[in-house]
Amino acid sequence: ETVWRQADRYGVPRIAFINKMDRVGADPTRVLGQIRERLGANAAFVQLPIGREDSFRGVVDIIEQKAVIYDEETLGAHFHYEGVPADMVEETARARDELVERAAAFDETILDKYVGGSMTPADLRTAIRKGSAHGKFVPVLNGSSFKNKGVQPLLDAVVDFLPSPTDVLPVKGTTQVRAEGETRAHRAPRRPG
């Protein structure tokens, strides 16, 4: 929570990765609720886990509407894509609706495209990037880093959703004068460009 407040203070964009989905007690829905309640973030899943604890085997990419299934023998180094599992179609549709609704809170054009039936995955990614860069949205991913499940999509999310160094304003330093001429450099908050 302290680090989150510092990120707020300095305008640092962020994404969330719910790790250890293969461990006992994994509950991503509870974690998402805590991110919203305790941290006050406008957060939503961009991935849903396929299985939990011992049965965790992959994730559903909500934006692309496809499943990423990890090969157990290679500890997640190899994976393949499939359609959304039949038992997750409704859950994925609800999660996509919620993702679009939360994205529409800071990008009205995405809602118009969604209602009009012309929204593409690229449109949704652009809206999420816009919200993330300006601190208005936190995309949430799932995985198990120890077994490399969800790590590659996490790295892709960094590229897709977080601003590059050229997208943010340069850091400006200030000098604070203290008692008896003592000075201390201070880093001013960063804001996306």
Side-chain angles (χ1 to χ4, degrees):
E1 290 175 8
T2 300
V3 173
W4 194 273
R5 283 192 298 271
Q6 282 182 319
D8 283 341
R9 178 178 175 197
Y10 290 106
V12 178
R14 59 211 93 140
I15 58 178
F17 180 72
I18 301 173
N19 194 18
K20 301 184 180 181
M21 287 302 305
D22 58 342
R23 299 283 177 90
V24 174
D27 188 351
T29 305
R30 189 181 100 234
V31 174
L32 178 63
Q34 291 172 336
I35 291 170
R36 290 175 179 167
E37 291 169 25
R38 291 184 185 177
L39 305 175
N42 178 22
F45 288 122
V46 293
Q47 292 178 341
L48 292 174
I50 300 173
R52 293 190 183 129
E53 300 178 359
D54 290 341
S55 66
F56 178 67
R57 60 188 187 97
V59 295
V60 172
D61 181 331
I62 295 169
I63 298 169
E64 294 292 334
Q65 298 285 293
K66 62 184 175 183
V68 182
I69 307 298
Y70 295 94
D71 181 16
E72 290 292 330
E73 286 126 26
T74 63
L75 292 177
H78 295 213
F79 56 89
H80 65 279
Y81 297 100
E82 295 180 356
V84 175
D87 63 335
M88 293 187 69
V89 170
E90 287 181 29
E91 180 184 7
T92 302
R94 282 192 307 272
R96 184 174 173 90
D97 289 345
E98 181 179 12
L99 178 60
V100 170
E101 181 182 316
R102 288 190 175 268
F106 54 83
D107 186 347
E108 293 176 12
T109 60
I110 199 71
L111 186 59
D112 293 338
K113 288 182 177 185
Y114 181 68
V115 171
S118 65
M119 184 183 71
T120 66
D123 293 332
L124 188 51
R125 284 189 197 289
T126 300
I128 293 168
R129 180 182 179 95
K130 179 180 172 184
S132 298
H134 290 91
K136 296 179 180 179
F137 184 72
V138 178
V140 180
L141 298 94
N142 301 276
S144 173
S145 62
F146 179 69
K147 294 183 180 176
N148 293 317
K149 294 179 180 179
V151 174
Q152 186 59 49
L154 173 63
L155 296 174
D156 292 341
V158 168
V159 172
D160 289 344
F161 305 137
L162 296 178
S164 74
T166 59
D167 294 335
V168 295
L169 298 172
V171 175
K172 293 181 182 180
T174 61
T175 303
Q176 295 178 345
V177 178
R178 295 182 172 198
E180 299 182 29
E182 179 184 335
T183 61
R184 178 176 171 230
H186 174 71
R187 182 177 164 182
R190 294 174 65 167
R191 296 285 177 226

